[in-house]
Amino acid sequence: MHMATKTEIIAVGSELLLGQIVNSNAQFISQQLAENGINVYYHTVVGDNPGRLKQAVKTAQERSNIIVFTGGLGPTKDDLTKETIASLLGRKLTTDEEALRSIEDYFVNVNRPMSENNKKQALVIEGSDILKNEHGMAPGMAIQTDGITYMLLPGPPSEMKPMFLKYGLPFFRKALGRNDKIISRVLRYFGIGESQLETDIQDLIDGQSNPTIAPLAGDGEVTLRLTARHQTEAEAVKLINDAEKAINERVGAFFYGYDQTTLAEELLRHLRQRGMTISAAESLTGGLFSDQLTAVKGTSDVFKGTIVCYTNEVKEAMLGVSKKTLEEHGAVSGQCALEMAEQIRKLTGSDIGISFTGIAGEEPVEGKKPGTVYIGLAVKGRQTETHQLLLAGSRNGIRKRTVKYGCHLAVKALTENTAE
């Protein structure tokens, strides 16, 4: 197989064109191939129609040297994909005995009769490498002919993903003579937008092929996935370390953690390191902050509790926010956030009190725009600070991002506190 790989993914299934399901298979395969340095140039989606599939394959043959198919191998689709490819390549379909045995065993196990249709699922293109299906019936297959590699994978992601990871990728790596080690690391950022982060490191993204730098956006934060390849693992790690250093020299101020961590987990980690506790007074967030913290197991040593004080009556009666503050400044104010944070800290005896008040809805409140948020932070032995945010988006999006900002500001306060 030549080194300049041009890969095309052809997803077969009318339900994809009707928008009934998302083409998540192509996304998954593209990510996996990209990490292995195999470039995907085209995504094609075609309905359950032999004529149109033939046409799509002919187009692909002219521009790609790896063609990966998903879907159209099952009993309902009449084995559309393999029959079409077999006829285009002038090859016969033969029964794969191992697949047939596992299909027969399945029907014996579930005590159901097996139809001819199910038998057809064991048919494979003559001369192909078989990719075992350990999570379903239809085996996958790979064929190398006339300078093009064809790979046929089943449509259901629950069958396709494990088959591709266990048999499909190793097939490509072997065919391409790749035996290098692949290391991946995700860097997480908060408080900087995706487009800003990309602008700041655009030349690094453009200039890198090993490691590759791929920005991924999600839910108010930005992540970068670094993937390095090298003969030795130690060298691959070094490549990633160097890239991370170059990136964080520019945007390190917004970096908060690696891989699957969350802002809530990082906050808990910093509290634990310092033997400190936190409690919260939540108006706008309605308990979402404490929900995020308690979703991580074993937080009772650092998180004391929360009061959800949605109304002014509760802010006044339970928390002890002064009536004067509420009358003069309103509930959506820095002054109210300040008192909420100080009061919850006093009431619970914790080292840090954090408060959230603001407007998530569509209508202005107290003459302030929707998306106006105040976060109060009362840290023992320090002056209480308040932060005003102006957030855009849906009601739920605003609440979620407010909680993330709260975690972010608390971590910042803790790390600055010890840096002095």
Side-chain angles (χ1 to χ4, degrees):
M1 196 191 292
H2 25 127
M3 286 313 285
T5 55
K6 286 189 177 181
T7 306
E8 178 152 355
I9 299 170
I10 299 181
V12 183
S14 297
E15 67 278 12
L16 290 159
L17 292 172
L18 293 166
Q20 291 165 349
I21 60 165
V22 173
N23 190 7
S24 60
N25 282 350
Q27 182 190 18
F28 175 81
I29 295 165
S30 286
Q31 282 169 348
Q32 293 299 324
L33 291 175
E35 283 186 22
N36 282 273
I38 299 169
N39 301 317
V40 177
Y41 283 54
Y42 306 100
H43 279 190
T44 301
V45 179
V46 64
D48 304 313
N49 176 295
R52 287 196 285 274
L53 176 55
K54 253 190 184 123
Q55 206 43 60
V57 178
K58 283 181 175 158
T59 304
Q61 286 169 330
E62 283 166 23
R63 62 188 184 186
S64 307
N65 50 20
I66 296 178
I67 308 171
V68 181
F69 298 85
T70 64
L73 298 183
T76 51
K77 301 283 173 66
D78 219 11
D79 301 317
L80 170 78
T81 305
K82 59 193 175 196
E83 284 177 6
T84 305
I85 310 292
S87 87
L88 274 172
L89 298 180
R91 296 194 182 198
K92 292 203 288 285
L93 289 172
T94 60
T95 299
D96 178 53
E97 293 305 329
E98 196 184 343
L100 184 62
R101 271 199 307 280
S102 81
I103 293 170
E104 286 169 345
D105 290 347
Y106 170 80
F107 282 97
V108 169
N109 288 340
V110 294
N111 201 7
R112 287 199 347 243
M114 177 170 150
S115 70
E116 276 307 303
N117 235 358
N118 291 114
K119 250 188 198 157
K120 275 181 72 178
Q121 286 183 278
L123 288 174
V124 295
I125 298 170
E126 201 174 36
S128 59
D129 283 72
I130 308 305
L131 312 175
K132 277 206 303 202
N133 189 340
E134 292 169 359
H135 296 80
M137 308 246 182
M141 59 211 87
I143 307 118
Q144 288 180 289
T145 179
D146 298 329
I148 298 179
T149 302
Y150 303 83
M151 184 175 283
L152 284 64
L153 300 164
S158 59
E159 297 177 30
M160 186 282 290
K161 288 180 178 178
M163 180 190 291
F164 188 69
L165 291 173
K166 193 167 174 185
Y167 301 110
L169 259 186
F171 176 88
F172 282 134
R173 285 174 63 77
K174 194 174 162 208
L176 289 163
R178 301 265 162 87
N179 55 1
D180 39 13
K181 296 277 180 284
I182 293 167
I183 304 282
S184 242
R185 180 183 299 167
V186 175
L187 311 180
R188 310 188 76 92
Y189 298 87
F190 184 77
I192 182 171
E194 183 192 13
S195 51
Q196 185 57 52
L197 182 111
E198 278 190 49
T199 306
D200 289 350
I201 61 164
Q202 195 58 56
D203 56 318
L204 297 177
I205 295 174
D206 293 342
Q208 292 279 7
S209 57
N210 187 23
T212 55
I213 303 170
L216 319 159
D219 232 8
E221 24 186 299
V222 191
T223 52
L224 292 174
R225 181 193 215 115
L226 312 185
T227 306
R229 300 190 310 279
H230 200 275
Q231 255 39 67
T232 70
E233 191 165 325
E235 275 302 314
V237 169
K238 185 182 178 309
L239 286 167
I240 284 199
N241 288 343
D242 292 348
E244 179 187 324
K245 192 164 169 273
I247 291 165
N248 280 346
E249 269 168 12
R250 301 185 192 181
V251 291
F254 304 98
F255 171 77
Y256 78 83
Y258 296 103
D259 299 319
Q260 295 311 306
T261 190
T262 63
L263 283 156
E265 283 176 65
E266 291 302 308
L267 171 56
L268 292 165
R269 187 172 68 80
H270 282 287
L271 287 165
R272 224 167 250 132
Q273 269 176 5
R274 295 163 179 76
M276 290 171 83
T277 55
I278 193 169
S279 54
E282 304 189 57
S283 177
L284 149 99
T285 49
L288 199 57
F289 175 79
S290 62
D291 177 63
Q292 291 282 305
L293 292 196
T294 54
V296 184
K297 73 173 195 290
T299 54
S300 57
D301 57 337
V302 289
F303 176 58
K304 289 204 167 185
T306 197
I307 290 182
V308 178
C309 46
Y310 216 57
T311 62
N312 284 3
E313 292 79 31
V314 175
K315 286 183 184 74
E316 201 181 321
M318 301 274 299
L319 261 187
V321 174
S322 77
K323 196 182 185 74
K324 188 167 180 280
T325 295
L326 292 167
E327 280 170 1
E328 286 180 15
H329 299 274
V332 181
S333 66
Q335 190 54 38
C336 180
L338 180 131
E339 284 186 37
M340 283 167 68
E342 289 181 345
Q343 289 300 113
I344 194 71
R345 193 179 91 65
K346 262 189 230 147
L347 285 170
T348 56
S350 56
D351 299 305
I352 300 177
I354 189 167
S355 67
F356 303 91
T357 181
I359 312 153
E362 283 73 53
E363 300 300 315
V365 175
E366 299 173 357
K368 295 191 178 79
K369 294 206 312 232
T372 304
V373 171
Y374 293 92
I375 298 175
L377 205 56
V379 181
K380 189 177 178 175
R382 291 172 69 177
Q383 203 175 347
T384 303
E385 49 186 80
T386 59
H387 299 265
Q388 184 189 5
L389 307 172
L390 282 169
L391 303 177
S394 69
R395 177 184 177 80
N396 217 17
I398 287 171
R399 292 169 70 234
K400 274 185 176 157
R401 279 186 22 242
T402 297
V403 168
K404 287 188 172 175
Y405 267 105
C407 294
H408 172 65
L409 291 168
V411 167
K412 244 170 97 172
L414 285 167
T415 47
E416 283 166 8
N417 203 9
T418 51
E420 283 156 19

